[in-house]
Amino acid sequence: MMRRLFIAATAAFWLAVAALWFSAPSRPDESAAPVPAAAEPRYTLADLAKHAGAESCWMAIDGRVYDFTAYLPKHPADDAFMLAWCGKEASEAYRTKTRGRAHSKRADELMPPYRIGVLAGGG
Amino acid sequence: MTTGARHPGWRRLAPAVLAVMMPAALVAWNAPDGLPGWRQVGIASAWAGLGLLLASLLLMLREPRLASWLGGLEAMYRWHHRSGTLGYALTLLHPLALAADAWQEVPSRAHLALAPWSQSWPTQLGWVALLLLMAGLGATFAHGIGYRRWRTLHAALGAAVIAAAVHVFVLLGDTAAAWAALGLAVAAVGWRLLVVDRGLLAPTYRVERVEHVAQGVIEALLRPLGPALRPAAGQFVLARFLDGERYRACGEFHPFTASAVGHDGTLQVTVKALGACSWRIQEIAAGVLVRLQGPFGDFLADADAAPQLWVAGGIGVTPFVAALRERPCPKPTTLIYVYRGDVDAAFLDELRATPAADPNFRLVAAATGSAPPDLDALLDQVEGLAGRRVQVCGPAGLAAALLPLLRARGVPPGWVRHESFDFR
């Protein structure tokens, strides 16, 4: 019984992984393409500071401004880790996770949909 | 001290309760509210899988007192296997559910959830845990794999659970649940490797005498150097022989049935050469030290309840010899003893002489050579079979062949017990 479960679960897992990989797009995703900075809204640090809680959480990372309100509940770590940076310039925190460890490439890939503009005077 | 009494039914359920409560507690403690469906499934399956894997680790701790609380080693190992496999299946669901969540959000990026090379090292550690689980369980379920190789690959499962707990700990930070999971995993694996497998709490005995009782079978008389174990007939101990003057031990614990227990604390164990380690044990001599764990098991615990039919295949005769040496049979008892040839048949002369001193005991001995035994013909020789409790000790194939024949002769399946002493 357990042997059959092991074989069935393992086979189903690899089939699902293979299916998702074969369905992956062969050319770059256009939704991830950078938007020209001049066309984007510009926000100041004072604008950011008005969105410093779970009800509205904006952050500036590397000169770009993100609205992470919808993402907050999905973050793997405890809410408090991310909430502490709402309304702030969080580039260093993003790069080090406050413990000297960088976020993954996948985390980078997840960010574009949350981008709402650029930081005025930032770069 | 464990005795030969059968563990109460509610205690035999204890490992199942542990295997349900551990994942339920972790999910209730950690499952977040208000997330999209697949993300919720991904997080809940991770905690449930980890809970089951932790339960599986606890159920591999081969301590006599713990085994007594948890309904015996047999029940513990049964649920060790079940919780480990179910935990693995739920762990596989975790990345798939996260990928499904990513698909709902941005389909073109969903495959990145299943791409370890694009992820951070804590997430990659989760993949390492998953692949170690896959390799370890693959070896566990593989047919025909040698004991040593099986043992090494099976140990990968312990490393896998620790890797999974570290993955959770690093991703979630210093939360109480992450600390609890990591602490439990490290403590269970550490206890197994440093205390159980090394026998640090196991009483030490000295080999006093060794007799060759059949081809490739020895019986060793062991005298305690300190506190003594008191196994009942039918119970077994795990023994790890230590290096002697001319004996180089294999350093592993293996199960051996007690064939006699002396009032002075001495113990006799029978060892048949079945694998590399038990072949080496054939060379032990007086003076060698041995650590014993146990006693375990409740085979023959209900031997007083009704007339008995005992069926032994080869070295499986040992627990029955122990029972006959302990005292005369309280109820009419027939032993069917099947073996290849007289030269392989341990204790045959002793068993043939027993009916003269014990009128309740009858022996039906059959040398089968290389052919399977004619069980139908042997069962025909047992009077009042339908009213007897049946105890079978031998290869799984023997029990499998017996069950339909016994059922056809009116023996309810619940009256048949099988002991194979296989602890993989």
Side-chain angles (χ1 to χ4, degrees):
Chain A
M1 172 79 174
M2 289 298 119
R3 187 169 186 270
R4 280 204 289 271
L5 173 62
F6 168 75
I7 293 169
T10 306
F13 174 76
W14 286 118
L15 280 173
V17 169
L20 209 61
W21 265 101
F22 281 119
S23 71
S26 55
R27 56 201 173 88
D29 183 2
E30 287 171 9
S31 69
V35 178
E40 286 191 89
R42 301 173 73 82
Y43 300 103
T44 63
L45 286 173
D47 293 329
L48 244 67
K50 294 173 192 164
H51 303 273
E55 68 287 350
S56 181
C57 174
W58 290 15
M59 284 183 211
I61 296 172
D62 293 335
R64 299 169 190 115
V65 176
Y66 299 90
D67 179 356
F68 285 133
T69 312
Y71 179 72
L72 271 178
K74 301 179 184 177
H75 191 254
D78 194 87
D79 287 355
F81 283 84
M82 213 168 156
L83 271 174
W85 293 96
C86 293
K88 295 176 185 167
E89 208 293 324
S91 303
E92 186 61 20
Y94 179 76
R95 275 194 290 273
T96 64
K97 290 191 190 177
T98 71
R99 296 177 182 186
R101 292 194 303 264
H103 273 84
S104 65
K105 187 181 162 197
R106 180 170 176 254
D108 296 341
E109 299 271 0
L110 287 173
M111 288 169 63
Y114 300 99
R115 183 167 159 176
I116 54 169
V118 294
L119 190 62
Chain B
M1 177 73 62
T2 306
T3 70
R6 188 180 291 286
H7 299 290
W10 61 268
R11 241 185 226 191
R12 285 203 296 275
L13 287 176
V17 172
L18 184 71
V20 171
M21 294 304 291
M22 289 281 291
L26 283 181
V27 170
W29 193 359
N30 297 287
D33 294 324
L35 291 185
W38 278 114
R39 186 140 195 107
Q40 190 94 349
V41 170
I43 293 173
S45 63
W47 282 111
L50 185 60
L52 279 160
L53 292 171
L54 289 170
S56 182
L57 285 188
L58 292 176
L59 291 169
M60 69 164 187
L61 295 178
R62 204 177 53 214
E63 292 292 348
R65 197 177 293 275
L66 185 66
S68 178
W69 289 339
L70 293 175
L73 212 52
E74 196 181 344
M76 281 176 71
Y77 275 30
R78 188 163 54 244
W79 281 96
H80 164 71
H81 293 145
R82 287 175 182 171
S83 54
T85 312
L86 290 169
Y88 164 73
L90 285 171
T91 307
L92 289 181
L93 181 59
H94 169 57
L96 294 181
L98 294 183
D101 175 64
W103 179 281
Q104 284 182 329
E105 198 169 331
V106 186
S108 60
R109 295 204 195 99
H111 65 285
L112 291 172
L114 300 175
W117 50 90
S118 72
Q119 296 166 335
S120 62
W121 75 262
T123 311
Q124 288 170 344
L125 192 61
W127 284 97
V128 169
L130 201 146
L131 293 175
L132 281 174
L133 283 173
M134 205 174 278
L137 279 174
T140 300
F141 291 120
H143 291 307
I145 192 169
Y147 177 74
R148 289 269 169 86
R149 185 170 296 175
W150 170 85
R151 195 165 173 257
T152 306
L153 287 168
H154 202 71
L157 294 171
V161 184
I162 290 179
V166 172
H167 160 78
V168 171
F169 183 82
V170 178
L171 281 178
L172 297 195
D174 304 335
T175 65
W179 272 109
L182 184 60
L184 207 55
V186 170
V189 172
W191 187 269
R192 173 65 194 245
L193 292 178
L194 301 176
V195 179
V196 177
D197 286 353
R198 286 171 172 269
L200 292 187
L201 300 177
T204 305
Y205 284 63
R206 186 192 303 279
V207 176
E208 194 159 285
R209 189 179 69 230
V210 179
E211 274 185 73
H212 289 264
V213 294
Q215 193 172 60
V217 183
I218 60 164
E219 187 178 41
L221 175 66
L222 313 177
R223 184 169 295 282
L225 300 182
L229 305 180
R230 301 272 175 206
Q235 288 194 295
F236 65 95
V237 294
L238 285 123
R240 181 186 180 207
F241 290 89
L242 308 181
D243 286 337
E245 269 183 42
R246 293 178 187 170
Y247 174 70
R248 194 163 157 269
C250 58
E252 297 166 359
F253 275 96
H254 284 264
F256 301 111
T257 309
S259 51
V261 183
H263 294 296
D264 55 354
T266 56
L267 192 65
Q268 284 175 253
V269 293
T270 309
V271 183
K272 182 176 172 67
L274 292 169
C277 191
S278 50
W279 268 107
R280 199 181 290 182
I281 294 171
Q282 302 295 307
E283 296 165 10
I284 58 165
V288 167
L289 299 182
V290 55
R291 292 191 194 278
L292 297 185
Q293 291 171 337
F296 298 108
D298 58 4
F299 189 59
L300 297 182
D302 56 3
D304 294 357
Q308 300 281 304
L309 168 62
W310 296 344
V311 184
I315 198 62
V317 77
T318 308
F320 304 122
V321 170
L324 293 167
R325 284 175 173 175
E326 190 176 76
R327 58 178 180 155
C329 298
K331 302 280 181 183
T333 300
T334 297
L335 168 63
I336 295 177
Y337 181 17
V338 293
Y339 47 87
R340 285 178 185 276
D342 282 10
V343 72
D344 302 309
F347 310 112
L348 187 57
D349 291 340
E350 180 179 339
L351 290 168
R352 281 177 173 150
T354 301
D358 185 346
N360 265 343
F361 178 71
R362 183 166 166 257
L363 176 69
V364 177
T368 64
S370 55
D374 183 353
L375 295 172
D376 250 330
L378 294 169
L379 291 175
D380 283 344
Q381 299 179 50
V382 182
E383 292 172 13
L385 181 56
R388 291 176 187 253
R389 299 272 178 153
V390 182
Q391 322 268 2
V392 185
C393 188
L398 176 68
L402 265 172
L403 271 175
L405 301 177
L406 290 168
R407 197 173 303 149
R409 286 169 162 77
V411 179
W415 281 26
V416 182
R417 281 212 71 201
H418 174 227
E419 183 65 82
S420 65
F421 299 112
D422 183 5
F423 284 97
R424 280 198 185 191

